[in-house]
């Protein structure tokens, strides 16, 4: 083979700098609530509600308690580094970030209603992160590892630095126990230290007032400190879980709690109930305290009356910490009673924010759940966009279904964040109480948790919404998954025939049962299907009709169940009847050498010898396609269970997964040799092989039109292949390996999940709105990409992605992708019909522009500003008012221009005059008429401008020239879809002129009609030619696919 000639490339500058991929633009991240150890901060908003702010990395989320923890604000811009501490103050939220490394500088930004409004002055040579922020009086105090910084809250200026003394011969004075202020002590703060002592400092003078020594030499470091509602009393927690209620005026310990517990759980958060209820024998006294730690999952409730005692434990408030690397995150970061309320708020490392309420007349000291906002507590492993149960429904592409290592199944709404939620697995806490897991047993065994009652980790799922009953589906009369180990038989499923049944089937790690789920009711279903050989479920599938579920096992068995009745309907291969077994035995005895060499699949044969890694069903329920680790692809008859054909790649290749694109009957298989192979179901032969992955293929999928295959591998690269040419057309490297990905049915989004994050990243598909070159690229052109963020700051919305290409905003970034050796060719052959490079959305919008305008028409006229009250002073004269108004408009326009990243398109009459000038020049040409200038100007216009240009054709001569230009372009067989669109708009706008009578310009009208006759004749000729070509190609394809 001759070596290919080297192609000249543009030099790449700053290769290691993250860039946006060519095809996909980062949009935003879903599913983050409280994934970091930074505690939340709460702020009362008037007398009606509270705003709770959590950290999700480099930005903050603010939730409204009255609206059920509805998301209000997401802060922008993002902080340069991870947020380390937050505090809410008045209408603002202060966020400290950075300082984790020896070189990185920290900072403190101030946000108001999600927007940055200021920042604190940071002293020089500060290289420590802020671990805690408090605001009281006129001071802002930040605690670092070895020092305390103080600012003035009036002007955000740095005031002083407090450095605690070094004691006990240590080389550093680590501040381990937090910082707080006492309500009645002016300018005083209490600081907990590593040696167990507590310092009292005056922030105004910067002097140490007093040091409270630890109770003994073995008490340990201070882990938390919190003032009590009682004057001069403070609660101090130390290592080991001991709590001391201390009087700072007399330096005397009033009460000792939890000193003999024997637990090694550090208390990192303390809070007191301040509504005057909850304590005492009748619960009508004050003195209730709640404690929690980041190494546990429980919240302990204390009654400080009569010496203090633990009156209740809220077990399993959050997930417990996992000791397994990459496991489920857990632990409670903060617990807090809302001021003057009977509501307690907790946040945990399990990405959850919860509120709890104490019932007024209940004798139980433990609160019940009020609101919950959470997400995945572990990385997502399976991901897919859900289809709808009706074609063209509004919910198309709206929902994402995901499963993670935290044993949960989630549905995410792209449009409204509040609709997202976890699929219920039943009353887990109620079951735990019945089994005694929420009693003393949980205190004795710290490894027990509520997750033990959940189904195992989901490894695969399949779905079909055609039979989903929605919210009106029949309830589970016999409980969820009631047939697991049941000796009474399966529940009656006859009632679901009228309302629909389950639509989702999941396979679980190490479990022999595949479980069903109701999507409409967002809960677990009735059935748990057991594999016929009793081995682990490795793959699942649901038929397109939504009636049958197929289960593949690690032992190679395949079973089909009815989702309505829960009964086993078929096996693959189907078991032999006695008559079939006897007949097969006789055939084996009488078989000749010739028949032995003839490939024949008899009933009862063809079972997979190893794990089934993929199961698929064709849309008409005729075939079942399966693949396995042994490297074979098998085609089964859906009704009889008999093997019809197989593709054998063993022993060279093991198949790890399969994806089916039903409209084209193409199946893609990922293999252990790092390749993706594509088979045509009709001819049962290999049609494409895709290579390029340098690591194990984690997940892959088809695009919505079946033209691309997108794959993610362990080398942290996401690759896109063009299926017709098998060319690698796009590849970008992300920060961590992508574990799951999915492409929306509408083609708008690519969703990815990564190994080091619990969120789901969304990417926009830029090819829907702009022309993106999809040429073949090499491995040297794989560039690092920036992941989407929860605020969407570094991402691009749909409009941004459009304008970014229209104004060539990406040209500077993507110049290195241009192959200089590629010629600019208008058409490959004159006999081929060529489409334009104009984005599909642009000419489709032009075709339906009037409908869009009617839909977007305002329902009522704009209202003027209300008159100012009579007691406000007015301006001295109208000149000042008009001047102020003009200045305000000028400033707003400047701000708008500064905020807008893209200039607005010029819709002036200059474009129309150029279009008219080109029409006149074209009309004067007698030979070699070239419509390129006319159509180039028209195709460059926005849909509204193009519509205006066609509507404002002045006279019949211009209309005639325009129709003739379209006819010439149609003869050239170029820009076919644009020609049809422009002619449709022309006839809609000027149809009355064509059919009308005008005695003054009848000759011009006749010339226009003759031009339209010529266009119709050329259109008919071209349409007939296309019909013949399409018919010929379909006939050849049908002959090739036939089995004859």
């Amino acid at each position: 083979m001759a070596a290919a000639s080297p192609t000249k490339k543009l030099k790449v500058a700053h290769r290691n700098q993250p860039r946006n991929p060519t095809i996909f633009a980062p949009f935003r991240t879903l599913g983050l609530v409280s994934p970091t150890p930074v505690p939340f901060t709460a702020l009362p908003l008037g007398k009606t509600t509270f705003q709770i702010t959590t950290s999700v990395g480099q930005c903050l989320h603010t939730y409204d308690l009255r609206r059920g923890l509805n998301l209000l604000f997401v802060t922008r811009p993002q902080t340069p580094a991870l947020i380390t501490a937050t505090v809410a103050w008045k209408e603002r939220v202060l966020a400290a970030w950075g300082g984790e490394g020896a070189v990185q500088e920290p900072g403190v930004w101030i946000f108001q209603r999600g927007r940055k409004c200021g920042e604190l002055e940071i002293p020089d040579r500060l290289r420590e992160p802020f671990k805690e922020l408090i605001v009281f009086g006129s001071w802002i105090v930040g605690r670092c590892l070895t020092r305390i910084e103080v600012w003035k809250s009036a002007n955000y200026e740095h005031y002083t630095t407090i450095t605690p003394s070094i004691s006990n011969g240590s080389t550093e004075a680590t501040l381990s126990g937090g910082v707080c202020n006492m309500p009645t002590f002016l300018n005083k703060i209490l600081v907990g230290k590593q040696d167990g002592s507590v310092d009292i400092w005056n922030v105004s003078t910067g002097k140490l007032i007093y040091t409270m020594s630890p109770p003994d030499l073995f008490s340990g470091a201070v882990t938390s400190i919190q003032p009590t509602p009682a004057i001069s009393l403070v609660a101090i927690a130390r290592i080991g879980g001991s709590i001391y209620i201390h009087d700072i005026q007399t330096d005397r310990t009033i009460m000792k709690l939890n000193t003999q517990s024997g637990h090694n759980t550090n208390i990192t958060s303390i809070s007191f109930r301040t509504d005057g209820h909850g304590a005492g024998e009748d619960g009508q006294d004050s003195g209730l305290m709640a404690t929690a730690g980041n190494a546990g999952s429980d919240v302990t409730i204390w009654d400080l009356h009569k010496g203090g005692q633990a009156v209740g434990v809220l077990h399993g408030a959050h997930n417990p910490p996992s000791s397994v690397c990459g496991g489920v995150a857990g632990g409670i970061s903060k617990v807090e009673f809302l001021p003057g309320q009977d509501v307690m708020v907790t946040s945990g490392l399990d990405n959850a924010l919860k509120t709890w309420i104490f019932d007024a007349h209940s004798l139980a000291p433990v609160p019940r759940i009020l609101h919950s906002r959470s997400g995945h507590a572990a990385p997502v492993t399976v991901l897919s966009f859900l289809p709808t149960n009706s074609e063209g429904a509004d919910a198309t592409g709206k929902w994402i279904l995901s499963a993670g290592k935290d044993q949960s199944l989630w549905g995410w709404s792209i449009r409204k964040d509040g609709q997202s939620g976890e699929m219920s697995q039943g009353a887990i806490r109620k079951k735990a109480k019945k089994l005694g897991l929420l009693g003393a047993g949980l205190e004795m065994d710290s490894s027990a948790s509520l997750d033990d009652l959940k189904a195992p980790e989901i490894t695969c799922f399949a779905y079909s919404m055609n039979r989903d009953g929605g919210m009106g589906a029949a309830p589970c009369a016999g409980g969820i998954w009631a047939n697991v180990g049941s000796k009474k038989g399966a529940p009656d499923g006859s009632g679901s025939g009228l309302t629909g049944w389950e639509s989702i089937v999941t396979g679980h790690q190490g479990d022999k049962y595949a479980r069903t789920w109701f999507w409409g009711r967002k809960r677990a279903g009735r059935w748990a299907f057991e594999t016929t050989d009793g081995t682990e479920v490795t793959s699942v599938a649901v038929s397109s009709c939504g009636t049958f579920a197929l289960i593949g096992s690690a032992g190679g068995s395949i079973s089909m169940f009815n989702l309505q009745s829960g009964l086993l309907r078929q096996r693959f291969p189907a078991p032999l009847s006695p008559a079939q077994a006897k007949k097969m035995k006789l055939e084996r005895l009488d078989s000749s050498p010739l028949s032995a060499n003839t490939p024949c699949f008899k009933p009862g044969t063809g079972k997979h010898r190893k794990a089934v890694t993929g199961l698929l069903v064709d849309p008409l329920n005729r075939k079942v396609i399966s693949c396995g680790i042994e490297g074979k692809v098998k085609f089964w008859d859906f009704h009889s269970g008999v093997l019809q054909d197989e593709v054998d790649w063993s022993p060279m290749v093991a198949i790890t997964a399969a994806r089916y694109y039903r409209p084209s009957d193409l199946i893609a298989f990922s293999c252990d040799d790092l390749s993706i192979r594509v088979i045509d179901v009709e001819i049962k032969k290999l049609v494409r092989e895709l290579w390029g992955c340098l690591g194990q293929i984690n997940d892959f999928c088809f695009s919505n039109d079946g033209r691309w295959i997108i794959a993610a591998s362990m080398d942290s690269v996401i690759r896109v292949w063009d299926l017709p040419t098998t060319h690698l057309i796009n590849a970008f490297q992300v920060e961590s390996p992508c574990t799951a990905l999915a492409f929306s049915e509408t083609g708008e989004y690519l969703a990815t999940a990564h190994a080091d994050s619990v969120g789901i990243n969304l990417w926009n598909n830029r090819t829907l709105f702009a022309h993106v070159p999809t040429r073949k690229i090499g491995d040297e052109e794989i560039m690092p990409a920036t992941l989407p963020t929860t605020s969407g700051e570094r991402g691009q919305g749909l409009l941004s992605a459009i304008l970014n290409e229209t104004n060539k905003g990406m040209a500077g970034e993507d110049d290195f992708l241009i192959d200089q050796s590629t010629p600019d060719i208008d058409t490959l052959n004159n006999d081929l019909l060529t489409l334009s490079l104009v984005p599909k959305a642009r000419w489709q919008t032009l075709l339906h522009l009037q409908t869009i305008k009617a839909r977007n028409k305002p329902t009522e006229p704009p209202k003027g500003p209300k008159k100012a009250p009579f007691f406000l002073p007015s301006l001295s004269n109208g000149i000042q008012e008009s001047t102020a108004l003009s200045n305000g408009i000028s400033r707003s326009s400047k701000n708008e221009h500064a905020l807008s990243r893209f200039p607005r398109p010029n819709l002036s009459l200059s474009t129309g005059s150029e279009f008219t000038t080109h029409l006149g020049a074209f009309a004067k040409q007698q030979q070699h008429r070239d419509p390129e200038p006319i159509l180039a100007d028209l195709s460059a216009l926005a849909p509204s401008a193009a519509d205006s240009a066609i509507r404002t054709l002045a006279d019949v001569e211009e209309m005639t020239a325009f129709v003739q230009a379209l006819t010439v372009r149609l003869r050239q067989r170029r820009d076919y879809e644009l020609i049809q669109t422009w002619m449709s708009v022309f006839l809609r706008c000027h149809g009355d002129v064509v059919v009308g009578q005008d005695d003054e310009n009848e000759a011009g009208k006749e010339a226009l009609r003759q031009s339209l006759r010529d266009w119709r004749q050329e259109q008919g000729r071209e349409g007939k030619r296309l019909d013949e070509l399409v018919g010929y190609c379909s006939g050849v394809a049908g002959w090739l696919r036939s089995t004859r």
Side-chain angles (χ1 to χ4, degrees):
M1 181 182 294
S5 59
T7 303
K8 183 179 180 181
K9 306 286 183 181
L10 292 179
K11 293 183 179 180
V12 180
H14 306 289
R15 178 173 176 80
N16 294 327
Q17 183 179 0
R19 301 176 184 270
N20 289 335
T22 308
I23 296 178
F24 300 106
F27 181 36
R28 65 188 181 99
T29 302
L30 302 175
L32 298 182
V33 178
S34 177
T36 67
V38 179
F40 68 88
T41 178
L43 178 71
L45 191 64
K47 297 181 180 180
T48 58
T49 186
F50 288 81
Q51 289 185 354
I52 304 173
T53 302
T54 63
S55 169
V56 295
Q58 293 179 256
C59 67
L60 304 175
H61 284 187
T62 300
Y63 300 92
D64 187 4
L65 178 63
R66 184 178 58 179
R67 299 181 182 178
L69 295 180
N70 184 43
L71 181 62
L72 292 180
F73 309 115
V74 179
T75 57
R76 298 183 69 176
Q78 287 199 136
T79 56
L82 293 178
I83 295 174
T84 58
T86 61
V87 65
W89 169 57
K90 295 183 179 180
E91 296 181 352
R92 302 175 180 86
V93 178
L94 282 70
W97 51 267
E100 296 292 346
V103 181
Q104 187 182 39
E105 295 183 0
V108 180
W109 284 3
I110 305 172
F111 297 94
Q112 184 174 3
R113 298 183 64 84
R115 299 294 179 182
K116 180 184 176 184
C117 61
E119 60 181 299
L120 300 185
E121 178 185 354
I122 303 300
D124 297 336
R125 295 189 297 274
L126 177 61
R127 296 296 184 271
E128 297 181 10
F130 290 98
K131 293 299 183 181
E132 189 175 359
L133 292 173
I134 63 171
V135 181
F136 67 99
S138 60
W139 308 104
I140 301 175
V141 178
R143 175 181 66 89
C144 301
L145 296 177
T146 61
R147 56 197 286 183
I148 295 175
E149 303 294 341
V150 182
W151 296 268
K152 291 183 177 180
S153 60
N155 52 13
Y156 307 147
E157 291 182 356
H158 184 258
Y159 181 73
T160 186
T161 298
I162 297 175
T163 305
S165 60
I166 299 175
S167 58
N168 295 336
S170 60
T171 57
E172 59 178 359
T174 304
L175 307 179
S176 63
V179 59
C180 71
N181 69 294
M182 300 298 293
T184 58
F185 289 71
L186 186 64
N187 301 332
K188 307 299 189 302
I189 60 172
L190 278 68
V191 181
K193 297 169 62 176
Q194 183 72 26
D195 58 1
S197 62
V198 177
D199 289 348
I200 303 177
W201 291 82
N202 188 318
V203 296
S204 179
T205 62
K207 293 182 179 180
L208 177 64
I209 304 299
Y210 186 76
T211 298
M212 296 183 292
S213 302
D216 53 66
L217 297 177
F218 306 101
S219 59
V222 177
T223 57
S224 180
I225 183 169
Q226 181 71 21
T228 69
I231 297 177
S232 75
L233 296 184
V234 63
I236 304 173
R238 291 182 169 85
I239 287 181
S242 60
I243 306 172
Y244 298 85
I245 307 298
H246 202 84
D247 189 342
I248 63 174
Q249 284 188 337
T250 61
D251 192 11
R252 184 171 59 92
T253 299
I254 304 300
M255 191 180 303
K256 298 180 182 180
L257 306 174
N258 204 29
T259 55
Q260 303 296 330
S261 63
H263 292 278
N264 193 23
T265 302
N266 297 331
I267 294 176
T268 56
S269 180
I270 304 174
S271 183
F272 293 90
R273 185 172 173 179
T274 58
D275 64 339
H277 299 283
E281 295 181 357
D282 56 354
Q284 300 301 317
D285 298 329
S286 59
L288 203 67
M289 179 180 70
T291 60
N294 55 14
S297 60
D298 305 336
V299 177
T300 305
I301 310 298
W302 302 84
D303 188 346
L304 299 184
H305 284 265
K306 298 181 181 180
Q309 59 180 348
V311 295
V313 178
L314 180 59
H315 294 287
H318 292 269
N319 288 336
S322 176
S323 57
V324 181
C325 180
V328 180
I332 299 177
S333 58
K334 186 178 181 180
V335 57
E336 179 180 348
F337 283 99
L338 296 180
Q341 303 293 326
D342 56 353
V343 176
M344 182 179 68
V345 184
T346 61
S347 67
L349 297 179
D350 58 349
N351 194 26
L353 177 67
K354 300 179 181 180
T355 59
W356 311 80
I357 186 170
F358 291 82
D359 291 328
H361 303 288
S362 175
L363 298 178
V366 179
R368 60 178 175 85
I369 189 71
L370 179 61
H371 301 118
S372 177
R373 192 67 181 264
S374 58
H376 279 290
V380 177
T381 55
V382 190
L383 193 65
S384 180
F385 279 88
L386 276 180
T388 55
N389 53 4
S390 59
E391 190 68 25
D394 183 62
T396 302
K398 173 185 176 181
W399 290 96
I400 296 178
L401 190 67
S402 66
K405 295 182 179 180
D406 56 349
Q407 305 170 236
S408 65
L409 183 66
W410 279 78
W412 302 99
S413 174
I414 298 178
R415 301 180 185 177
K416 191 172 182 180
D417 191 65
Q419 295 179 350
S420 304
E422 181 181 359
M423 304 279 282
S424 172
Q425 299 189 31
I428 300 296
R429 299 188 65 87
K430 185 177 180 180
K431 293 180 182 178
K433 289 181 180 180
K434 289 183 178 180
L435 297 176
L437 292 181
L438 294 186
L442 187 59
E443 297 181 1
M444 300 301 295
D445 184 10
S446 60
S447 62
S449 67
L450 298 181
D451 289 340
D452 297 335
L453 299 179
K454 290 185 176 182
E457 175 188 339
I458 297 175
T459 57
C460 56
F461 58 66
Y463 48 80
S464 176
M465 299 295 130
N466 289 328
R467 289 292 186 175
D468 186 78
M471 291 300 297
C476 303
I480 64 170
W481 306 323
N483 59 335
V484 177
S486 175
K487 298 181 180 179
K488 299 180 180 179
D492 184 17
S494 59
S496 62
L498 300 176
T499 60
W501 49 81
E502 295 90 330
S503 55
I504 301 174
V505 179
T506 56
H508 303 261
Q509 185 177 25
D511 193 6
K512 63 180 180 180
Y513 293 98
R515 291 168 166 81
T516 61
W517 305 75
F518 288 98
W519 167 248
R521 299 178 65 89
K522 301 295 188 298
R523 58 168 297 175
R526 301 165 293 171
W527 317 120
F529 302 131
E530 183 179 2
T531 56
T532 54
D533 56 2
T535 58
E536 174 186 356
V537 176
T538 55
S539 59
V540 293
V542 178
S543 61
S544 299
C545 62
T547 306
F548 301 99
L550 288 89
I551 315 299
S553 71
S557 68
I558 303 175
S559 309
M560 183 172 69
F561 296 85
N562 188 292
L563 283 172
Q564 180 183 4
S565 63
L567 300 178
L568 177 65
R569 292 304 186 188
Q570 188 58 273
R571 297 180 182 180
F572 302 90
L576 296 177
S577 63
Q580 290 176 329
K582 184 177 180 180
K583 181 179 180 182
M584 183 176 294
K585 185 176 181 180
L586 294 176
E587 289 178 353
R588 289 179 180 176
L589 294 176
D590 298 338
S591 60
S592 61
L594 180 60
S595 61
N597 296 329
T598 304
C600 180
F601 304 101
K602 299 179 180 179
T605 63
K607 178 184 177 182
H608 285 278
R609 297 182 179 180
K610 296 183 179 179
V612 180
T613 55
L615 276 177
L616 308 162
V617 184
D618 75 320
L620 300 179
N621 288 355
R622 296 178 304 176
K623 300 176 184 177
V624 174
I625 303 97
S626 63
C627 61
I629 289 293
E630 73 270 22
K632 294 183 179 180
V633 181
K634 297 179 182 290
F635 299 84
W636 309 83
D637 182 76
F638 182 88
H639 301 283
S640 65
V642 177
L643 182 64
Q644 294 180 334
D645 202 348
E646 72 174 10
V647 178
D648 191 356
W649 293 332
S650 62
M652 304 302 296
V653 171
I655 303 175
T656 57
R659 300 291 183 269
Y660 190 18
Y661 184 68
R662 287 188 171 93
S664 298
D665 260 358
L666 296 178
I667 305 178
F669 301 92
S670 62
C671 306
D672 63 348
D673 60 352
L674 309 184
S675 69
I676 297 177
R677 292 172 165 86
V678 182
I679 284 182
D680 192 318
V681 176
E682 289 292 332
I683 62 177
K684 302 179 180 61
K685 291 184 179 180
L686 180 68
V687 294
R688 292 291 187 273
E689 285 189 2
L690 307 176
W691 298 84
C693 293
L694 301 180
Q696 174 188 345
I697 300 175
N698 294 332
D699 199 5
F700 66 103
C701 65
F702 282 94
S703 62
N704 64 313
D705 57 359
R707 187 176 180 86
W708 300 338
I709 287 184
I710 305 102
S713 54
M714 284 300 294
D715 57 354
S716 302
V717 177
I718 299 176
R719 294 174 172 86
V720 183
W721 287 275
D722 184 66
L723 197 54
T725 62
T726 69
H727 289 169
L728 180 66
I729 58 175
N730 190 26
F732 55 95
Q733 187 173 22
V734 291
E735 298 173 0
S736 62
C738 175
T739 57
L741 55 81
F743 205 89
S744 66
E745 286 191 343
T746 59
E748 295 178 82
Y749 303 108
L750 172 70
T752 61
H754 299 268
D756 63 346
S757 174
V758 296
I760 298 174
N761 298 313
L762 291 180
W763 308 74
N764 279 324
N765 181 11
R766 296 175 58 231
T767 60
L768 287 181
F769 312 101
H771 171 64
V772 178
T774 55
R775 64 177 186 84
K776 182 179 180 180
I777 66 171
D779 293 339
E780 68 279 358
E781 298 179 48
I782 299 176
M783 302 297 296
T786 303
L787 286 175
T789 62
T790 184
S791 62
E793 179 188 352
R794 290 180 294 183
Q796 286 183 321
L798 299 180
L799 182 60
S800 300
I802 302 169
L803 297 178
N804 203 6
E805 177 66 19
T806 304
N807 296 278
K808 299 182 179 180
M810 296 292 293
E813 297 182 4
D814 295 342
D815 281 344
F816 63 93
L817 293 177
I818 300 175
D819 189 347
Q820 290 183 340
S821 64
T822 303
D824 185 11
I825 301 176
D826 292 332
T827 181
L828 298 176
N829 192 299
N830 292 330
D831 293 333
L832 296 178
L833 186 66
T834 306
L835 302 180
S836 68
L837 296 179
V838 176
K840 181 180 178 181
R842 184 179 296 179
W843 59 265
Q844 283 188 341
T845 302
L846 174 61
L847 198 59
H848 305 284
L849 187 61
Q850 299 304 317
T851 304
I852 296 174
K853 288 182 177 180
R855 184 183 59 190
N856 296 337
K857 185 178 180 180
T859 57
E860 59 182 7
K863 298 180 179 179
K866 296 182 179 180
K867 295 182 178 181
F870 68 92
F871 53 82
L872 292 180
S874 60
L875 296 176
S876 59
N877 51 53
I879 299 176
Q880 294 181 4
E881 182 177 1
S882 61
T883 304
L885 180 60
S886 62
N887 292 338
I889 296 175
S890 177
R891 285 194 299 269
S892 63
S893 62
K894 290 181 180 179
N895 293 335
E896 182 181 359
H897 180 72
L899 292 175
S900 177
R901 298 172 55 191
F902 311 101
R904 297 182 180 273
N906 186 9
L907 301 179
S908 62
L909 295 178
S910 60
T911 304
S913 62
E914 292 179 3
F915 176 67
T916 306
T917 302
H918 291 310
L919 277 177
F922 178 81
K924 295 179 181 179
Q925 296 176 1
Q926 299 299 328
Q927 296 180 353
H928 306 292
R929 309 179 78 180
D930 184 16
E932 181 64 29
I934 302 173
L935 304 184
D937 288 343
L938 195 58
S939 60
L941 296 177
S944 57
D947 182 78
S948 300
I950 297 176
R951 286 179 179 274
T952 54
L953 292 175
D955 49 24
V956 178
E957 287 73 15
E958 290 184 356
M959 298 180 188
T960 304
F962 180 72
V963 174
Q964 292 175 352
L966 297 184
T967 306
V968 173
R969 179 65 89 179
L970 188 60
R971 292 195 185 101
Q972 296 175 352
R973 296 170 180 169
R974 293 173 54 191
D975 304 334
Y976 185 76
E977 80 280 17
L978 284 183
I979 298 301
Q980 304 301 320
T981 302
W982 290 335
M983 179 57 71
S984 176
V985 175
F986 174 81
L987 293 177
R988 184 170 62 237
C989 298
H990 303 290
D992 55 342
V993 179
V994 176
V995 300
Q997 299 293 331
D998 189 358
D999 297 337
E1000 297 181 359
N1001 196 9
E1002 187 61 29
K1005 288 288 187 67
E1006 185 60 30
L1008 176 59
R1009 297 189 186 100
Q1010 183 60 38
S1011 299
L1012 288 172
R1013 295 189 192 100
D1014 296 341
W1015 183 88
R1016 184 176 60 181
Q1017 182 179 2
E1018 186 64 31
Q1019 174 70 16
R1021 186 185 303 111
E1022 188 64 24
K1024 182 179 179 181
R1025 189 180 72 90
L1026 284 179
D1027 289 340
E1028 293 176 354
L1029 289 176
V1030 172
Y1032 173 78
C1033 292
S1034 61
V1036 172
W1039 180 80
L1040 292 175
R1041 289 189 174 190
S1042 64
T1043 57
R1044 293 174 296 177

